[in-house]
Every structure is written in structure tokens, then in C-alpha cells.
Amino acid sequence: MTAVDGERKGLIFCVLEIILAGLFPVITKYGVGFVNPIFFAAISALVGAGFMLVVLRLRGELKKLFTREILGNLFLIGFFGTFLSSILFFTGSNMTSGVNASILLQTEPIFSIILSFFFLGELIRKKQVAVTLLILSGTIIVLYNGVLSINVGDILILLTPLAWQIGHVLARKTFEKTNTFIVAAGRLLYGGILLFLLSLNPSFRQYQLLTDTGIILLFLFQGIIVYIGSIMVWYEAIKRINLSKATAIIAPYPVFSVILAWIFLGEKVSIYQLVGLAIIIAGIILLSRIRSEKREKRPKAVMDIEGHPRLMEDKKFTKYSQT
């Protein structure tokens, strides 16, 4: 497969991710109306993990999930990508509107650009910084919403993309050692176990709900369709294109979320949310048009023992090339 083919497939996976990611805040907002957020996150993640374990068993790769070489990475991916992000998002969603949650998640490109630059060798240009500030201004308008105050739930939602991006950076590095099935399964398994241990707290657990058919179907949909579907499609995308670029491309998914929240949750959209969303989407479009680049090593001149200049590879000095 050529680099161009890989880029195209990555873009296709990003489009699919827009749909699946759009479902996430809406289903979550609906679910936490009936189930404790932590318990909902724990059972949903474990349902997804159980499904992935069956898939790995059928693929003959179950043992790879516990290999020492990647175990630490998988645990951290589960901690940031599922455990911490779920606590932040599920708790925050219970304290703010589904529309606000969908839009505020669009701060993710800010975290993606910064982390990708420092840990994945991707490049930040001045234009990217300017567009990122534009996205941030749209977020502030959403927070304002006619009243100069910040809800605690909004803050928790704003921290969620940071946890996601830390998990994505770790996942991108782990792809060098294993495949997306293993990483996705590890994220849900280890993150789900941590959430389950937390849900043992009497104030969180609601095992009596597991006898309700409607609640069970909700867990199955969230765990298999939303969790697994979204994670697998996303990992296939960032395996092929830069993380910062992929994050920018999928960022318009709140449009889909807002429509669903309006239709199924009966939430009203204010003029501030519409203006903020418009600014954010405009910023995302500009950001996605910036070339995806990363740093490469370049040689520098040094003096040998005889005093003659020669070239030596230096990791600190880099040139930039399009990927």
C-alpha cells in the first residue's frame, strides 16, 4: 500500500469516526439519566472488553494482550483513554447539557497539537497556533452562553480531551509493537477493570439495574457499538495519518451530536452555542487544510579528531517534510 493510499484510507476512517464520535456524548447524556455515571462507564467498558477478548481468542492473539513488552503501555492507555477520561466525561455530562458537552470537546485539537509536537515529532506552525486560538475563542463563547460563569461540569468536559490525547499518543507509539485490536482490547480491559473497582463503592454500584432489559441493551450499545466501534475506527485512522491532523478532521462531529441532542433529548440550542459552534467549525476547517508535517533528523557539521569538518546526525536539529 502506497503512502497516498494509506492517507486516503485514514481519511475514510476519520469520516466514519465523525459519526461514531457524534453518538458518544448523546448516548452518554441519555444513559447517565438512568444510571450512575461511574457505574455506566464501568459496565460499558467491561462489555466492550469482553467482546474484544472473544475477538482476540478467535484471532489467536489473546496471549499478546498480556506480554510484558506492551503491558505497561496498555495499562496507561486504559488509565488515560478509558478510566480517567470516563470519570471526567461521565461526571461532567451529568452536570451540563449534551449540546455543551459536544461542543466543549472541540478543544481537543489544542491538546493534540501540543502533545503531538513534543511526543510524536509533529510540527506546529504559527498558522496552527492562530487557528487554535480561534477554536478556543469559540469555546469561551459556548461557556459564556449569556451568563459569565463556568459550570464545574464544563471544566470536567474540557479536561476530557486532554486525557484522551495522552492515551492516543501512547497508542500511536504502541502500534510500532502490536496491532490495533490488541491496543483497543487493552484500553477497554484495563480501563474497565479500574472503573469497576471504583464502582464497587456503595454510592456508585447499581447492580439491580442489570435485571432491566432496557438498561442491558443500553450497556451493550454503548460498549460494543460506541466504545469498540469508535476506538477501532479511530486507531485505524491515526495509524495512517498524523494524530494532530486526524483530530482536526473529526472535530466537526458536534454538528452530528447537536442534531441528535435536539431530536432525541429535546435540548434547545442557544444563539451563543450556535455562534461558538460556527467559530469552532471554521477553525477546524482552517486547521485541517494545514499540511501534516513532522520533524526528521538532519546531519550537522562537526570537527573530527584531525580538525576536519564532517557530518553527524543530530536529533535536536530537524528539518520538516510532509507525511
Side-chain angles (χ1 to χ4, degrees), residues 102-162:
S102 300
I103 297 175
L104 292 175
L105 290 177
Q106 295 325 289
T107 53
E108 190 165 7
I110 299 173
F111 300 119
S112 180
I113 288 174
I114 296 172
L115 294 179
S116 295
F117 174 78
F118 285 107
F119 299 104
L120 296 178
E122 297 180 9
L123 170 65
I124 299 178
R125 292 188 180 278
K126 291 181 179 179
K127 185 176 180 180
Q128 285 178 291
V129 175
V131 175
T132 298
L133 292 176
L134 179 65
I135 295 172
L136 184 58
S137 69
T139 303
I140 292 173
I141 291 175
V142 173
L143 281 171
Y144 176 61
N145 199 27
V147 180
L148 190 58
S149 64
I150 297 179
N151 186 289
V152 174
D154 291 334
I155 295 176
L156 296 179
I157 295 297
L158 283 170
L159 291 175
T160 303
L162 175 59

Side-chain angles (χ1 to χ4, degrees), residues 292-303:
S292 177
E293 298 177 315
K294 68 178 182 179
R295 300 190 300 276
E296 291 183 348
K297 300 173 185 177
R298 78 175 182 187
K300 70 172 183 176
V302 297
M303 304 300 290

Side-chain angles (χ1 to χ4, degrees), residues 6-301:
E7 184 85 5
R8 287 174 179 171
K9 287 186 177 181
L11 293 175
I12 292 173
F13 281 117
C14 283
V15 172
L16 293 174
E17 178 65 6
I18 289 175
I19 298 174
L20 292 170
L23 286 171
F24 184 69
V26 177
I27 298 300
T28 297
K29 179 64 177 179
Y30 179 78
V32 297
F34 302 97
V35 187
N36 177 275
I38 301 301
F39 188 74
F40 184 62
I43 301 301
S44 297
L46 289 178
V47 166
F51 185 87
M52 288 302 297
L53 290 177
V54 173
V55 172
L56 291 180
R57 180 67 178 84
L58 294 175
R59 288 170 56 93
E61 296 180 324
L62 189 58
K63 291 183 179 180
K64 294 181 181 179
L65 191 60
F66 308 101
T67 55
R68 186 174 302 178
E69 183 182 13
I70 61 173
L71 187 60
N73 274 18
L74 293 180
F75 179 82
L76 289 175
I77 293 169
F79 176 81
F80 287 104
T82 296
F83 176 69
L84 182 58
S85 62
S86 292
I87 292 175
L88 293 170
F89 184 77
F90 281 79
T91 304
S93 293
N94 206 29
M95 302 170 68
T96 189
S97 70
V99 173
N100 248 29
S102 300
I103 297 175
L104 292 175
L105 290 177
Q106 295 325 289
T107 53
E108 190 165 7
I110 299 173
F111 300 119
S112 180
I113 288 174
I114 296 172
L115 294 179
S116 295
F117 174 78
F118 285 107
F119 299 104
L120 296 178
E122 297 180 9
L123 170 65
I124 299 178
R125 292 188 180 278
K126 291 181 179 179
K127 185 176 180 180
Q128 285 178 291
V129 175
V131 175
T132 298
L133 292 176
L134 179 65
I135 295 172
L136 184 58
S137 69
T139 303
I140 292 173
I141 291 175
V142 173
L143 281 171
Y144 176 61
N145 199 27
V147 180
L148 190 58
S149 64
I150 297 179
N151 186 289
V152 174
D154 291 334
I155 295 176
L156 296 179
I157 295 297
L158 283 170
L159 291 175
T160 303
L162 175 59
W164 279 340
Q165 283 297 314
I166 293 174
H168 296 337
V169 169
L170 290 168
R172 183 70 182 268
K173 289 181 173 293
T174 309
F175 292 154
E176 300 171 2
K177 302 176 182 179
T178 189
N179 60 55
T180 54
F181 284 89
I182 300 296
V183 178
R187 171 178 169 174
L188 289 173
L189 177 62
Y190 298 119
I193 290 174
L194 290 173
L195 284 170
F196 179 73
L197 292 176
L198 181 62
S199 72
L200 293 177
N201 185 308
S203 62
F204 295 145
R205 62 189 182 200
Q206 295 178 312
Y207 297 117
Q208 71 277 8
L209 294 178
L210 298 179
T211 60
D212 187 305
T213 303
I215 297 298
I216 292 176
L217 290 176
L218 187 61
F219 282 136
L220 291 173
F221 186 85
Q222 178 80 352
I224 298 175
I225 304 299
V226 180
Y227 269 2
I228 295 178
S230 181
I231 290 173
M232 286 299 301
V233 167
W234 175 244
Y235 282 172
E236 290 296 330
I238 65 173
K239 186 174 69 173
R240 292 170 171 82
I241 60 180
N242 280 0
L243 175 60
S244 58
K245 181 176 181 178
T247 303
I249 292 171
I250 71 161
Y253 76 79
V255 175
F256 188 62
S257 297
V258 168
I259 294 172
L260 291 177
W262 174 62
I263 295 174
F264 297 106
L265 300 182
E267 295 187 359
K268 296 181 180 180
V269 182
S270 73
I271 185 64
Y272 293 98
Q273 290 172 323
L274 288 175
V275 171
L277 177 60
I279 292 174
I280 290 170
I281 296 302
I284 294 306
I285 293 173
L286 292 173
L287 190 60
S288 65
R289 290 180 178 178
I290 298 174
R291 289 190 307 169
S292 177
E293 298 177 315
K294 68 178 182 179
R295 300 190 300 276
E296 291 183 348
K297 300 173 185 177
R298 78 175 182 187
K300 70 172 183 176

